[in-house]
Amino acid sequence: MNMRYFERRKARIEIIPMIDVMLFLLVFFIIVTLQMIPNAGVSLQLPTASQTDQLPHPKFIVNVLPDGTMKVKDQVVTPAQLTAMFAADGNPAQTEVTIAADKTTAFQNFMSVIDAARKANVTDIGIAAQPVPDGQP
């Protein structure tokens, strides 16, 4: 007589808890990655304009301080270094540059950034400005 007290069952892999763990890990890594992206800038008083458009996030943001100092990614650069940086990006026609100049910055310092971009054959140049608050001219 062959009696079985314990019935042998085929092993099953439960997939629902595995999906829960994978989604938790995915959310965790997304949050960690977003906090690793530097989102620092230079405090500037941007000029205002009545006609402003939202620009896509550019490859380079050049901050021009009131004393004429140029900063890219928290590094002080010269116009020659700017030209080299833009040229090293690869395809100058696809390089997007936004210039954020303080409203008290001399126009010559602003033009130095444009000259550096043009020497590197960059054609997609944006200018940062704040929209005029409603009710003001």
Side-chain angles (χ1 to χ4, degrees), residues 86-130:
F86 297 152
D89 187 44
N91 186 359
Q94 299 296 325
T95 302
E96 296 174 348
V97 176
T98 297
I99 304 170
D102 192 273
K103 64 181 173 182
T104 60
T105 300
F107 191 67
Q108 181 58 50
N109 297 327
F110 180 82
M111 286 306 299
S112 297
V113 177
I114 292 179
D115 286 341
R118 297 295 296 157
K119 284 180 186 174
N121 295 323
V122 174
T123 57
D124 194 357
I125 302 171
I127 301 168
Q130 290 181 341

Coordinates of all heavy atoms in Angstrom, one line a residue, residues 86-130:
F86 N 31.7 75.2 -27.5 CA 30.6 75.0 -28.4 C 31.0 74.1 -29.6 O 30.3 73.3 -30.1 CB 30.1 76.4 -29.0 CG 29.5 77.3 -27.9 CD1 29.6 78.6 -28.0 CD2 28.9 76.7 -26.8 CE1 29.0 79.5 -27.1 CE2 28.3 77.6 -25.8 CZ 28.4 78.9 -26.0
A87 N 32.3 74.4 -30.1 CA 32.8 73.6 -31.2 C 32.9 72.1 -30.9 O 32.7 71.2 -31.7 CB 34.1 74.2 -31.7
A88 N 33.3 71.8 -29.6 CA 33.5 70.4 -29.2 C 32.2 69.7 -29.0 O 32.2 68.4 -28.8 CB 34.3 70.4 -27.9
D89 N 31.1 70.4 -29.0 CA 29.8 69.7 -28.8 C 29.4 68.7 -29.9 O 28.6 67.9 -29.8 CB 28.7 70.7 -28.6 CG 27.4 70.1 -28.2 OD1 27.4 69.2 -27.4 OD2 26.4 70.5 -28.8
G90 N 30.1 68.9 -31.1 CA 29.8 68.0 -32.2 C 29.2 68.7 -33.4 O 29.9 69.4 -34.1
N91 N 27.9 68.7 -33.5 CA 27.2 69.3 -34.6 C 26.7 70.7 -34.2 O 25.8 70.9 -33.5 CB 26.0 68.5 -35.0 CG 25.3 69.0 -36.3 OD1 25.8 70.0 -36.8 ND2 24.3 68.3 -36.7
P92 N 27.4 71.8 -34.6 CA 27.1 73.1 -34.2 C 25.7 73.5 -34.6 O 25.0 74.3 -33.9 CB 28.1 74.0 -34.9 CG 29.2 73.1 -35.3 CD 28.6 71.8 -35.5
A93 N 25.2 73.0 -35.7 CA 23.8 73.3 -36.1 C 22.7 72.8 -35.1 O 21.7 73.4 -35.1 CB 23.5 72.8 -37.5
Q94 N 23.1 71.8 -34.4 CA 22.1 71.2 -33.4 C 22.4 71.8 -32.0 O 21.6 71.5 -31.1 CB 22.3 69.7 -33.4 CG 21.9 69.1 -34.7 CD 20.5 69.3 -35.1 OE1 19.6 69.3 -34.3 NE2 20.3 69.4 -36.4
T95 N 23.4 72.5 -31.8 CA 23.8 73.1 -30.4 C 22.9 74.2 -30.1 O 22.7 75.2 -30.9 CB 25.2 73.5 -30.4 OG1 26.1 72.4 -30.7 CG2 25.6 74.1 -29.0
E96 N 22.2 74.2 -28.9 CA 21.3 75.2 -28.5 C 22.0 76.0 -27.4 O 22.4 75.4 -26.4 CB 20.0 74.6 -28.0 CG 19.2 73.9 -29.1 CD 18.0 73.2 -28.6 OE1 17.8 73.1 -27.4 OE2 17.2 72.8 -29.4
V97 N 22.0 77.3 -27.5 CA 22.7 78.1 -26.5 C 21.7 79.2 -26.0 O 21.0 79.8 -26.9 CB 23.9 78.8 -27.0 CG1 24.5 79.8 -26.0 CG2 25.0 77.8 -27.5
T98 N 21.5 79.4 -24.7 CA 20.7 80.4 -24.2 C 21.6 81.4 -23.4 O 22.4 80.9 -22.5 CB 19.6 79.9 -23.3 OG1 18.7 79.1 -24.1 CG2 18.8 81.0 -22.7
I99 N 21.5 82.7 -23.6 CA 22.3 83.7 -22.9 C 21.4 84.3 -21.9 O 20.4 84.9 -22.2 CB 22.9 84.7 -23.9 CG1 23.7 84.1 -25.0 CG2 23.7 85.7 -23.2 CD1 24.0 85.0 -26.2
A100 N 21.9 84.2 -20.6 CA 21.1 84.9 -19.5 C 22.1 86.0 -19.0 O 23.0 85.7 -18.3 CB 20.8 83.9 -18.4
A101 N 21.8 87.2 -19.4 CA 22.6 88.3 -19.0 C 21.8 89.2 -18.0 O 20.6 89.4 -18.2 CB 23.0 89.1 -20.2
D102 N 22.5 89.6 -17.0 CA 21.9 90.5 -16.0 C 21.5 91.8 -16.8 O 22.2 92.2 -17.7 CB 22.9 90.8 -14.9 CG 22.3 91.5 -13.7 OD1 22.2 92.8 -13.8 OD2 21.8 90.8 -12.8
K103 N 20.5 92.5 -16.3 CA 20.0 93.7 -17.1 C 21.0 94.9 -16.9 O 20.9 95.8 -17.7 CB 18.6 94.1 -16.7 CG 18.4 94.5 -15.2 CD 16.9 94.8 -15.0 CE 16.5 95.0 -13.6 NZ 15.1 95.3 -13.5
T104 N 21.9 94.8 -16.0 CA 22.9 95.8 -15.8 C 24.2 95.5 -16.5 O 25.2 96.3 -16.5 CB 23.2 96.1 -14.3 OG1 23.7 94.9 -13.7 CG2 21.9 96.6 -13.6
T105 N 24.3 94.4 -17.2 CA 25.5 94.0 -17.9 C 25.7 94.8 -19.2 O 24.7 95.2 -19.9 CB 25.4 92.5 -18.4 OG1 25.2 91.7 -17.2 CG2 26.6 92.0 -19.1
A106 N 26.9 95.2 -19.4 CA 27.3 96.0 -20.6 C 26.9 95.2 -21.8 O 27.2 94.0 -21.9 CB 28.7 96.4 -20.6
F107 N 26.4 95.8 -22.9 CA 26.0 95.1 -24.1 C 27.2 94.5 -24.8 O 27.1 93.4 -25.4 CB 25.3 96.1 -25.0 CG 24.7 95.4 -26.2 CD1 23.6 94.6 -26.0 CD2 25.1 95.6 -27.5 CE1 23.0 93.9 -27.1 CE2 24.5 94.9 -28.6 CZ 23.4 94.1 -28.3
Q108 N 28.4 95.0 -24.6 CA 29.6 94.4 -25.2 C 29.9 93.0 -24.7 O 30.3 92.1 -25.4 CB 30.8 95.3 -25.0 CG 32.1 94.8 -25.6 CD 32.0 94.6 -27.1 OE1 31.5 95.5 -27.8 NE2 32.3 93.5 -27.6
N109 N 29.6 92.8 -23.4 CA 29.8 91.5 -22.8 C 28.8 90.5 -23.4 O 29.1 89.3 -23.6 CB 29.7 91.5 -21.3 CG 30.8 92.4 -20.6 OD1 31.9 92.5 -21.1 ND2 30.4 93.1 -19.6
F110 N 27.6 90.9 -23.6 CA 26.6 90.1 -24.2 C 27.0 89.7 -25.6 O 26.9 88.6 -26.1 CB 25.3 90.9 -24.2 CG 24.1 90.2 -24.9 CD1 23.4 89.3 -24.2 CD2 23.8 90.5 -26.2 CE1 22.3 88.6 -24.8 CE2 22.7 89.8 -26.8 CZ 22.0 88.9 -26.1
M111 N 27.6 90.7 -26.4 CA 28.0 90.5 -27.8 C 29.2 89.5 -27.8 O 29.4 88.8 -28.8 CB 28.3 91.8 -28.5 CG 27.1 92.6 -28.9 SD 25.9 91.7 -29.9 CE 26.9 91.3 -31.3
S112 N 30.0 89.5 -26.8 CA 31.2 88.6 -26.7 C 30.7 87.1 -26.7 O 31.3 86.3 -27.4 CB 32.0 88.8 -25.5 OG 32.5 90.1 -25.5
V113 N 29.6 86.9 -26.1 CA 29.0 85.5 -26.0 C 28.5 85.2 -27.4 O 28.7 84.1 -27.9 CB 27.9 85.4 -25.0 CG1 27.3 84.0 -25.0 CG2 28.5 85.7 -23.6
I114 N 27.8 86.1 -28.1 CA 27.3 85.9 -29.4 C 28.4 85.6 -30.4 O 28.3 84.7 -31.2 CB 26.3 87.0 -29.8 CG1 25.1 87.0 -29.0 CG2 26.0 86.9 -31.3 CD1 24.1 88.1 -29.3
D115 N 29.5 86.4 -30.3 CA 30.6 86.3 -31.2 C 31.2 84.9 -31.0 O 31.6 84.2 -31.9 CB 31.7 87.3 -30.9 CG 31.3 88.7 -31.5 OD1 30.4 88.7 -32.4 OD2 31.9 89.7 -31.1
A116 N 31.4 84.4 -29.7 CA 32.0 83.1 -29.4 C 31.1 82.0 -30.1 O 31.6 81.0 -30.6 CB 32.1 82.9 -27.9
A117 N 29.8 82.2 -30.0 CA 28.9 81.2 -30.5 C 29.0 81.2 -32.1 O 29.0 80.1 -32.7 CB 27.5 81.4 -30.1
R118 N 29.0 82.3 -32.7 CA 29.1 82.4 -34.1 C 30.4 81.9 -34.7 O 30.4 81.3 -35.7 CB 28.8 83.9 -34.6 CG 27.5 84.5 -34.2 CD 26.3 83.8 -34.9 NE 26.5 84.0 -36.4 CZ 26.0 83.2 -37.3 NH1 25.2 82.2 -36.9 NH2 26.1 83.5 -38.6
K119 N 31.5 82.1 -33.9 CA 32.8 81.5 -34.4 C 32.7 80.0 -34.4 O 33.4 79.4 -35.2 CB 33.9 82.0 -33.4 CG 34.3 83.4 -33.6 CD 35.4 83.8 -32.7 CE 35.7 85.3 -32.8 NZ 36.7 85.7 -31.8
A120 N 31.9 79.4 -33.5 CA 31.8 78.0 -33.5 C 30.7 77.5 -34.4 O 30.3 76.3 -34.4 CB 31.5 77.5 -32.1
N121 N 30.1 78.4 -35.2 CA 29.0 78.1 -36.2 C 27.7 77.7 -35.5 O 26.9 77.0 -36.1 CB 29.5 77.0 -37.2 CG 30.6 77.5 -38.1 OD1 30.6 78.7 -38.4 ND2 31.5 76.6 -38.4
V122 N 27.5 78.2 -34.3 CA 26.2 77.9 -33.6 C 25.2 78.9 -34.1 O 25.5 80.1 -34.1 CB 26.4 78.0 -32.1 CG1 25.1 77.9 -31.4 CG2 27.4 76.9 -31.6
T123 N 24.0 78.4 -34.5 CA 23.0 79.3 -35.0 C 21.8 79.4 -34.1 O 21.0 80.3 -34.3 CB 22.6 78.9 -36.4 OG1 22.1 77.6 -36.4 CG2 23.7 79.0 -37.4
D124 N 21.6 78.5 -33.2 CA 20.4 78.4 -32.4 C 20.8 79.1 -31.0 O 21.2 78.4 -30.1 CB 20.0 77.0 -32.2 CG 18.6 76.9 -31.6 OD1 18.0 77.9 -31.3 OD2 18.1 75.7 -31.4
I125 N 20.5 80.4 -31.0 CA 20.9 81.2 -29.8 C 19.6 81.8 -29.2 O 18.9 82.5 -30.0 CB 21.9 82.3 -30.1 CG1 23.2 81.7 -30.7 CG2 22.2 83.1 -28.9 CD1 24.1 82.7 -31.3
G126 N 19.4 81.6 -27.9 CA 18.2 82.2 -27.3 C 18.7 83.2 -26.2 O 19.8 83.2 -25.8
I127 N 17.8 84.1 -25.9 CA 18.1 85.1 -24.9 C 17.1 85.0 -23.8 O 15.8 85.0 -24.0 CB 18.0 86.6 -25.5 CG1 19.0 86.7 -26.7 CG2 18.3 87.6 -24.5 CD1 18.8 87.9 -27.5
A128 N 17.5 84.9 -22.6 CA 16.7 84.7 -21.4 C 16.1 86.1 -21.0 O 16.8 87.0 -20.9 CB 17.4 84.1 -20.2
A129 N 14.8 86.1 -20.8 CA 14.1 87.3 -20.3 C 12.9 86.9 -19.4 O 12.4 85.8 -19.6 CB 13.7 88.2 -21.5
Q130 N 12.5 87.8 -18.6 CA 11.3 87.5 -17.8 C 10.2 88.2 -18.4 O 10.3 89.3 -19.0 CB 11.5 88.1 -16.4 CG 12.5 87.3 -15.5 CD 12.6 88.0 -14.1 OE1 12.2 89.1 -13.9 NE2 13.1 87.2 -13.2

